[in-house]
Structure formats: structure tokens, C-alpha cells
Amino acid sequence: DTGVSQDPRHKITKRGQNVTFRCDPISEHNRLYWYRQTLGQGPEFLTYFQNEAQLEKSRLLSDRFSAERPKGSFSTLEIQRTEQGDSAMYLCASSLELDSDQPQHFGDGTRLSIL
Amino acid sequence: AQSVAQPEDQVNVAEGNPLTVKCTYSVSGNPYLFWYVQYPNRGLQFLLKYITGDNLVKGSYGFEAEFNKSQTSFHLKKPSALVSDSALYFCAVRDKSTGKLIFGQGTTLQVKP
């Protein structure tokens, strides 16, 4: 069990650029969640996958955001035309089936800074 | 709508003293409750959970939490605080249909030597 891995750990970019983050979940976990955390706040849910199917998207996820999990393994989160308000920590978490009482395991996040 | 509240932004305690970090929740039905800890520039680490069973739940690093249905609370406790416990603590409730976590705003715990 190598844990949830996120890449990159930090991303600095200019406003208007596109960015993509990657999350590698724990290998046997079929559920994958993305959250966004701004300074001084708790994480907020963005979207989640069961295997390769994206099952729910928060209204926080504007049309500039897209997430994929093409083979039910790793996931990517892309932000197009970044804005200042996108600056945040983006956290990925994975877990077993819903009927399992096991917790979600989090990666160390990608911190995005928009100049 | 489900929600979690952590009424204290910061809790200060002396090393060796007991600590309590408060959490109240609002859900329909029986809640699935979690505590996580976050160190600077790191993700969230799971501490403990309440799904069903005993109201007193024991978790990692000597932490425990007490589920109180009548007061809709799930306070985190530790009998003797360590300086290394200083971190940001989050209480969360799990949505039963999606599994997504709904977090409180977090409480910074400061343990002073």
C-alpha cells in the first residue's frame, strides 16, 4: 500500500493558462474523489468516480474544469483558462466500495498558485 | 442538507493536559462521522470514525471521540496532549449515497510546552 499519490505537489502558472493535475489512488480502491481546499477552510467536494464512471459533479466545478479516470485507475483534473480564484489546494482521495466502512485516504495535494 | 460545524477556530492547551476539539453535525438519519488531521502542506490523515456501535471511539495516536446523538456532537479528545499534536483538525460527515465527505471549517490545535 503506497498510498494516494498526487503530481505535481506545487504548480505556479499565469492567469489564463491551462493546468492538469494527476492522482494515483491506492490500487484496490475503485472510488476516487477530488476536493478543493482554500486557505482557512475545510475541503470542499468537487467530483467523484466509481471505476471510470464520473458519478457526481459539484456546482463548484465550472465548465472550465474537467476530470477523467480513463481506465478506472489514475485520474486527471484539468482547469482551463485559469483565474485568480482557482488558487487552492486540490486534494484527491480514494476508498473502497460505498458499503465498506473504511475511510477515504488522501494524497498530499497539489497546491495551485495563479499569478 | 448535511452539515458539520466546528465552533472553535483555535484551541490552545498545555502539553500534558487533556484536549477537546468540538464538532456538531446536522444530518438526517444515523451519521457516519470522521476526524482527520492535517499538517502544513500535507493531505489529510485519518484519525478515527464512528459508523455504529459504541459511542466512544478510539483512534490513532491516542485520540478518541465521543458520539452523542442527543446533542448531535462528535467531540475529539485526548487525555494528555503532546506538542506534536499541534495541527489542523477536521470533522466530517459522509454522504451515504455518494460517499463524499462534508467537512467542518477546521480547528487549529496549538499545544504549548
Side-chain angles (χ1 to χ4, degrees):
Chain A
D1 179 358
T2 57
V4 178
S5 177
Q6 292 189 246
D7 183 70
R9 291 292 314 281
H10 304 275
K11 180 70 177 178
I12 301 173
T13 192
K14 294 181 179 179
R15 184 169 54 92
Q17 297 295 305
N18 299 343
V19 294
T20 300
F21 312 140
R22 176 179 170 126
C23 171
D24 286 89
I26 293 171
S27 58
E28 63 268 28
H29 287 182
N30 59 4
R31 286 181 165 250
L32 187 149
Y33 298 81
W34 285 99
Y35 296 86
R36 182 171 70 186
Q37 184 181 20
T38 53
L39 204 60
Q41 299 296 318
E44 295 175 293
F45 168 78
L46 291 178
T47 188
Y48 86 100
F49 294 83
Q50 177 161 332
N51 300 313
E52 66 275 10
Q54 187 175 16
L55 297 184
E56 182 174 327
K57 293 192 286 188
S58 162
R59 52 180 189 274
L60 290 176
L61 215 65
S62 76
D63 56 7
R64 296 185 298 106
F65 289 69
S66 62
E68 294 183 341
R69 193 181 183 198
K71 295 183 180 179
S73 56
F74 74 91
S75 176
T76 58
L77 178 67
E78 181 182 14
I79 309 175
Q80 295 183 326
R81 305 181 303 281
T82 52
E83 301 174 354
Q84 293 280 354
D86 296 332
S87 295
M89 173 81 92
Y90 291 84
L91 294 165
C92 175
S94 69
S95 70
L96 292 167
E97 285 290 349
L98 187 62
D99 59 0
S100 160
D101 65 357
Q102 294 306 303
Q104 290 179 24
H105 295 265
F106 283 79
D108 281 338
T110 294
R111 182 168 296 283
L112 174 64
S113 298
I114 306 298
L115 301 177
Chain B
Q2 301 174 93
S3 65
V4 172
Q6 294 180 242
E8 302 153 317
D9 289 337
Q10 182 157 328
V11 169
N12 297 310
V13 64
E15 187 175 30
N17 282 1
L19 70 88
T20 298
V21 182
K22 295 180 180 178
C23 171
T24 58
Y25 65 88
S26 174
V27 302
S28 57
N30 295 319
Y32 289 2
L33 295 162
F34 298 79
W35 276 101
Y36 283 84
V37 61
Q38 186 177 35
Y39 295 96
N41 297 312
R42 299 297 301 275
L44 278 68
Q45 295 179 31
F46 168 72
L47 282 179
L48 50 79
K49 66 181 187 287
Y50 173 82
I51 303 295
T52 187
D54 289 342
N55 289 342
L56 185 64
V57 178
K58 294 192 182 295
S60 306
Y61 313 118
F63 284 93
E64 59 190 28
E66 186 168 10
F67 171 68
N68 188 316
K69 188 171 185 177
S70 63
Q71 296 186 4
T72 62
S73 67
F74 188 54
H75 300 330
L76 181 70
K77 300 182 180 185
K78 187 173 182 181
S80 178
L82 299 173
V83 172
S84 58
D85 293 330
S86 299
L88 184 55
Y89 290 80
F90 290 100
C91 181
V93 62
R94 192 172 84 180
D95 182 285
K96 291 178 188 175
S97 62
T98 65
K100 67 184 178 186
L101 294 172
I102 299 153
F103 288 90
Q105 67 271 35
T107 299
T108 299
L109 174 65
Q110 189 77 260
V111 181
K112 299 197 173 167

Short mmCIF file of all heavy atoms in Angstrom, two decimals, chain B residues 56-94:
data_model
loop_
_atom_site.label_atom_id
_atom_site.label_comp_id
_atom_site.label_asym_id
_atom_site.label_seq_id
_atom_site.Cartn_x
_atom_site.Cartn_y
_atom_site.Cartn_z
N LEU B 56 -18.10 5.68 22.32
CA LEU B 56 -16.72 6.11 22.49
C LEU B 56 -15.86 5.35 21.48
O LEU B 56 -15.76 4.13 21.53
CB LEU B 56 -16.24 5.86 23.91
CG LEU B 56 -14.84 6.40 24.23
CD1 LEU B 56 -14.81 7.93 24.11
CD2 LEU B 56 -14.41 5.97 25.63
N VAL B 57 -15.25 6.11 20.59
CA VAL B 57 -14.46 5.52 19.51
C VAL B 57 -12.99 5.84 19.76
O VAL B 57 -12.64 6.98 20.04
CB VAL B 57 -14.87 6.12 18.16
CG1 VAL B 57 -14.02 5.55 17.04
CG2 VAL B 57 -16.34 5.86 17.89
N LYS B 58 -12.15 4.83 19.66
CA LYS B 58 -10.71 5.05 19.83
C LYS B 58 -10.04 5.03 18.46
O LYS B 58 -10.41 4.27 17.57
CB LYS B 58 -10.12 3.98 20.74
CG LYS B 58 -10.65 4.08 22.17
CD LYS B 58 -9.86 3.21 23.11
CE LYS B 58 -10.43 3.28 24.53
NZ LYS B 58 -10.30 4.65 25.09
N GLY B 59 -9.04 5.91 18.31
CA GLY B 59 -8.38 6.02 17.03
C GLY B 59 -6.87 6.06 17.16
O GLY B 59 -6.29 5.58 18.12
N SER B 60 -6.25 6.67 16.15
CA SER B 60 -4.79 6.71 16.08
C SER B 60 -4.21 7.72 17.05
O SER B 60 -4.87 8.69 17.42
CB SER B 60 -4.36 7.08 14.65
OG SER B 60 -4.93 6.24 13.69
N TYR B 61 -2.94 7.50 17.43
CA TYR B 61 -2.14 8.45 18.21
C TYR B 61 -2.76 8.81 19.55
O TYR B 61 -2.55 9.90 20.05
CB TYR B 61 -1.87 9.72 17.40
CG TYR B 61 -1.41 9.46 15.99
CD1 TYR B 61 -2.15 9.90 14.91
CD2 TYR B 61 -0.23 8.75 15.73
CE1 TYR B 61 -1.75 9.63 13.60
CE2 TYR B 61 0.17 8.49 14.44
CZ TYR B 61 -0.59 8.93 13.38
OH TYR B 61 -0.20 8.67 12.09
N GLY B 62 -3.56 7.91 20.12
CA GLY B 62 -4.15 8.14 21.43
C GLY B 62 -5.41 8.98 21.43
O GLY B 62 -5.94 9.31 22.50
N PHE B 63 -5.90 9.36 20.26
CA PHE B 63 -7.13 10.15 20.18
C PHE B 63 -8.37 9.27 20.32
O PHE B 63 -8.35 8.09 19.96
CB PHE B 63 -7.20 10.90 18.84
CG PHE B 63 -6.32 12.10 18.78
CD1 PHE B 63 -5.03 12.02 18.26
CD2 PHE B 63 -6.76 13.33 19.24
CE1 PHE B 63 -4.20 13.12 18.22
CE2 PHE B 63 -5.95 14.45 19.20
CZ PHE B 63 -4.67 14.35 18.69
N GLU B 64 -9.41 9.85 20.82
CA GLU B 64 -10.72 9.22 20.91
C GLU B 64 -11.79 10.25 20.67
O GLU B 64 -11.52 11.46 20.70
CB GLU B 64 -10.90 8.53 22.26
CG GLU B 64 -10.78 9.45 23.45
CD GLU B 64 -10.73 8.69 24.77
OE1 GLU B 64 -10.27 7.53 24.80
OE2 GLU B 64 -11.16 9.28 25.78
N ALA B 65 -12.99 9.79 20.37
CA ALA B 65 -14.09 10.72 20.16
C ALA B 65 -15.35 10.11 20.72
O ALA B 65 -15.55 8.90 20.73
CB ALA B 65 -14.26 11.03 18.67
N GLU B 66 -16.22 10.99 21.21
CA GLU B 66 -17.47 10.55 21.81
C GLU B 66 -18.65 10.99 20.96
O GLU B 66 -18.85 12.20 20.73
CB GLU B 66 -17.61 11.10 23.22
CG GLU B 66 -18.83 10.55 23.95
CD GLU B 66 -18.81 10.86 25.42
OE1 GLU B 66 -17.96 11.67 25.86
OE2 GLU B 66 -19.65 10.30 26.14
N PHE B 67 -19.41 10.03 20.49
CA PHE B 67 -20.61 10.30 19.71
C PHE B 67 -21.77 10.51 20.67
O PHE B 67 -22.03 9.67 21.54
CB PHE B 67 -20.91 9.14 18.77
CG PHE B 67 -22.23 9.22 18.07
CD1 PHE B 67 -22.45 10.21 17.12
CD2 PHE B 67 -23.25 8.32 18.35
CE1 PHE B 67 -23.67 10.30 16.46
CE2 PHE B 67 -24.47 8.40 17.70
CZ PHE B 67 -24.69 9.39 16.75
N ASN B 68 -22.47 11.64 20.54
CA ASN B 68 -23.60 11.95 21.39
C ASN B 68 -24.78 12.30 20.49
O ASN B 68 -24.84 13.40 19.93
CB ASN B 68 -23.27 13.10 22.33
CG ASN B 68 -24.36 13.33 23.36
OD1 ASN B 68 -25.55 13.31 23.03
ND2 ASN B 68 -23.97 13.54 24.60
N LYS B 69 -25.70 11.36 20.37
CA LYS B 69 -26.80 11.54 19.43
C LYS B 69 -27.75 12.65 19.87
O LYS B 69 -28.22 13.45 19.05
CB LYS B 69 -27.57 10.24 19.24
CG LYS B 69 -28.61 10.27 18.14
CD LYS B 69 -29.18 8.90 17.86
CE LYS B 69 -30.13 8.94 16.68
NZ LYS B 69 -30.66 7.59 16.34
N SER B 70 -28.01 12.74 21.15
CA SER B 70 -28.97 13.74 21.64
C SER B 70 -28.44 15.16 21.46
O SER B 70 -29.21 16.09 21.22
CB SER B 70 -29.32 13.49 23.10
OG SER B 70 -28.16 13.62 23.90
N GLN B 71 -27.13 15.32 21.55
CA GLN B 71 -26.53 16.63 21.36
C GLN B 71 -25.96 16.81 19.95
O GLN B 71 -25.37 17.85 19.66
CB GLN B 71 -25.41 16.85 22.40
CG GLN B 71 -25.94 16.88 23.83
CD GLN B 71 -24.87 17.24 24.84
OE1 GLN B 71 -23.73 17.53 24.48
NE2 GLN B 71 -25.22 17.19 26.12
N THR B 72 -26.13 15.82 19.11
CA THR B 72 -25.59 15.82 17.73
C THR B 72 -24.14 16.29 17.72
O THR B 72 -23.77 17.19 16.96
CB THR B 72 -26.45 16.66 16.77
OG1 THR B 72 -26.47 18.04 17.19
CG2 THR B 72 -27.85 16.12 16.68
N SER B 73 -23.34 15.67 18.59
CA SER B 73 -21.94 16.07 18.68
C SER B 73 -21.02 14.87 18.52
O SER B 73 -21.43 13.72 18.73
CB SER B 73 -21.67 16.76 20.02
OG SER B 73 -21.81 15.85 21.09
N PHE B 74 -19.80 15.18 18.15
CA PHE B 74 -18.77 14.14 17.96
C PHE B 74 -17.43 14.80 18.31
O PHE B 74 -16.60 15.06 17.46
CB PHE B 74 -18.80 13.63 16.52
CG PHE B 74 -17.92 12.43 16.26
CD1 PHE B 74 -18.04 11.28 17.02
CD2 PHE B 74 -17.00 12.44 15.23
CE1 PHE B 74 -17.26 10.16 16.76
CE2 PHE B 74 -16.20 11.34 14.95
CZ PHE B 74 -16.33 10.20 15.72
N HIS B 75 -17.22 15.06 19.58
CA HIS B 75 -16.03 15.80 20.03
C HIS B 75 -14.81 14.89 20.07
O HIS B 75 -14.88 13.74 20.54
CB HIS B 75 -16.25 16.39 21.42
CG HIS B 75 -17.41 17.35 21.49
ND1 HIS B 75 -17.82 18.11 20.41
CD2 HIS B 75 -18.22 17.68 22.53
CE1 HIS B 75 -18.84 18.86 20.77
NE2 HIS B 75 -19.12 18.62 22.05
N LEU B 76 -13.69 15.43 19.63
CA LEU B 76 -12.40 14.73 19.63
C LEU B 76 -11.70 15.00 20.95
O LEU B 76 -11.65 16.15 21.40
CB LEU B 76 -11.55 15.21 18.46
CG LEU B 76 -10.18 14.57 18.28
CD1 LEU B 76 -10.32 13.13 17.80
CD2 LEU B 76 -9.34 15.37 17.27
N LYS B 77 -11.11 13.96 21.53
CA LYS B 77 -10.46 14.11 22.83
C LYS B 77 -9.14 13.35 22.89
O LYS B 77 -8.94 12.40 22.13
CB LYS B 77 -11.39 13.60 23.95
CG LYS B 77 -12.72 14.32 24.02
CD LYS B 77 -13.59 13.81 25.15
CE LYS B 77 -14.91 14.57 25.18
NZ LYS B 77 -15.75 14.20 26.33
N LYS B 78 -8.30 13.82 23.80
CA LYS B 78 -7.07 13.10 24.09
C LYS B 78 -6.72 13.38 25.55
O LYS B 78 -6.75 14.55 25.97
CB LYS B 78 -5.94 13.53 23.17
CG LYS B 78 -4.68 12.68 23.31
CD LYS B 78 -3.65 13.04 22.26
CE LYS B 78 -2.43 12.13 22.40
NZ LYS B 78 -1.37 12.45 21.41
N PRO B 79 -6.40 12.36 26.33
CA PRO B 79 -6.17 12.58 27.77
C PRO B 79 -4.95 13.44 28.08
O PRO B 79 -4.95 14.19 29.06
CB PRO B 79 -5.98 11.16 28.31
CG PRO B 79 -6.57 10.26 27.29
CD PRO B 79 -6.38 10.95 25.97
N SER B 80 -3.90 13.34 27.24
CA SER B 80 -2.67 14.06 27.52
C SER B 80 -2.07 14.56 26.21
O SER B 80 -1.59 13.76 25.40
CB SER B 80 -1.68 13.14 28.26
OG SER B 80 -0.48 13.81 28.51
N ALA B 81 -2.11 15.87 26.00
CA ALA B 81 -1.68 16.44 24.73
C ALA B 81 -0.16 16.45 24.59
O ALA B 81 0.57 16.63 25.58
CB ALA B 81 -2.21 17.86 24.59
N LEU B 82 0.30 16.29 23.35
CA LEU B 82 1.72 16.40 23.01
C LEU B 82 1.93 17.61 22.10
O LEU B 82 1.03 17.97 21.33
CB LEU B 82 2.19 15.14 22.26
CG LEU B 82 2.07 13.81 22.99
CD1 LEU B 82 2.41 12.67 22.05
CD2 LEU B 82 2.99 13.78 24.21
N VAL B 83 3.12 18.19 22.17
CA VAL B 83 3.43 19.31 21.27
C VAL B 83 3.25 18.89 19.82
O VAL B 83 2.76 19.67 18.98
CB VAL B 83 4.86 19.83 21.53
CG1 VAL B 83 5.25 20.86 20.48
CG2 VAL B 83 4.96 20.43 22.94
N SER B 84 3.58 17.65 19.52
CA SER B 84 3.47 17.14 18.15
C SER B 84 2.02 16.97 17.69
O SER B 84 1.78 16.71 16.49
CB SER B 84 4.21 15.81 18.02
OG SER B 84 3.69 14.86 18.93
N ASP B 85 1.06 17.11 18.59
CA ASP B 85 -0.36 17.08 18.19
C ASP B 85 -0.80 18.39 17.55
O ASP B 85 -1.91 18.48 17.01
CB ASP B 85 -1.26 16.80 19.40
CG ASP B 85 -1.08 15.40 19.96
OD1 ASP B 85 -0.75 14.48 19.19
OD2 ASP B 85 -1.26 15.24 21.19
N SER B 86 0.03 19.42 17.64
CA SER B 86 -0.31 20.72 17.05
C SER B 86 -0.51 20.57 15.55
O SER B 86 0.40 20.14 14.83
CB SER B 86 0.80 21.73 17.33
OG SER B 86 0.97 21.92 18.71
N ALA B 87 -1.70 20.89 15.07
CA ALA B 87 -2.07 20.69 13.67
C ALA B 87 -3.47 21.23 13.46
O ALA B 87 -4.09 21.78 14.38
CB ALA B 87 -2.01 19.21 13.31
N LEU B 88 -3.98 21.04 12.25
CA LEU B 88 -5.34 21.44 11.88
C LEU B 88 -6.22 20.20 11.87
O LEU B 88 -5.87 19.20 11.23
CB LEU B 88 -5.29 22.11 10.50
CG LEU B 88 -6.56 22.71 9.91
CD1 LEU B 88 -7.18 23.73 10.85
CD2 LEU B 88 -6.23 23.35 8.56
N TYR B 89 -7.34 20.25 12.57
CA TYR B 89 -8.21 19.09 12.72
C TYR B 89 -9.56 19.35 12.05
O TYR B 89 -10.16 20.41 12.22
CB TYR B 89 -8.42 18.77 14.21
CG TYR B 89 -7.17 18.22 14.83
CD1 TYR B 89 -6.14 19.07 15.23
CD2 TYR B 89 -6.98 16.85 15.00
CE1 TYR B 89 -4.96 18.58 15.77
CE2 TYR B 89 -5.81 16.34 15.55
CZ TYR B 89 -4.81 17.22 15.92
OH TYR B 89 -3.66 16.72 16.47
N PHE B 90 -10.01 18.35 11.30
CA PHE B 90 -11.27 18.45 10.59
C PHE B 90 -12.22 17.34 11.00
O PHE B 90 -11.83 16.17 11.04
CB PHE B 90 -11.06 18.36 9.08
CG PHE B 90 -10.38 19.55 8.48
CD1 PHE B 90 -9.03 19.53 8.19
CD2 PHE B 90 -11.10 20.71 8.22
CE1 PHE B 90 -8.41 20.62 7.64
CE2 PHE B 90 -10.48 21.82 7.66
CZ PHE B 90 -9.13 21.77 7.37
N CYS B 91 -13.44 17.72 11.26
CA CYS B 91 -14.54 16.78 11.46
C CYS B 91 -15.31 16.69 10.14
O CYS B 91 -15.41 17.69 9.41
CB CYS B 91 -15.44 17.32 12.57
SG CYS B 91 -16.84 16.28 13.00
N ALA B 92 -15.83 15.51 9.82
CA ALA B 92 -16.55 15.35 8.56
C ALA B 92 -17.67 14.34 8.72
O ALA B 92 -17.59 13.41 9.53
CB ALA B 92 -15.60 14.90 7.45
N VAL B 93 -18.70 14.52 7.91
CA VAL B 93 -19.79 13.55 7.83
C VAL B 93 -19.79 13.00 6.41
O VAL B 93 -19.49 13.72 5.45
CB VAL B 93 -21.14 14.19 8.19
CG1 VAL B 93 -21.51 15.31 7.23
CG2 VAL B 93 -22.24 13.15 8.24
N ARG B 94 -20.08 11.71 6.28
CA ARG B 94 -20.06 11.09 4.96
C ARG B 94 -21.47 10.99 4.41
O ARG B 94 -22.38 10.50 5.09
CB ARG B 94 -19.43 9.70 5.02
CG ARG B 94 -19.13 9.11 3.67
CD ARG B 94 -18.34 7.82 3.77
NE ARG B 94 -19.22 6.69 3.99
CZ ARG B 94 -18.78 5.43 4.11
NH1 ARG B 94 -17.49 5.18 4.06
NH2 ARG B 94 -19.63 4.46 4.29
#
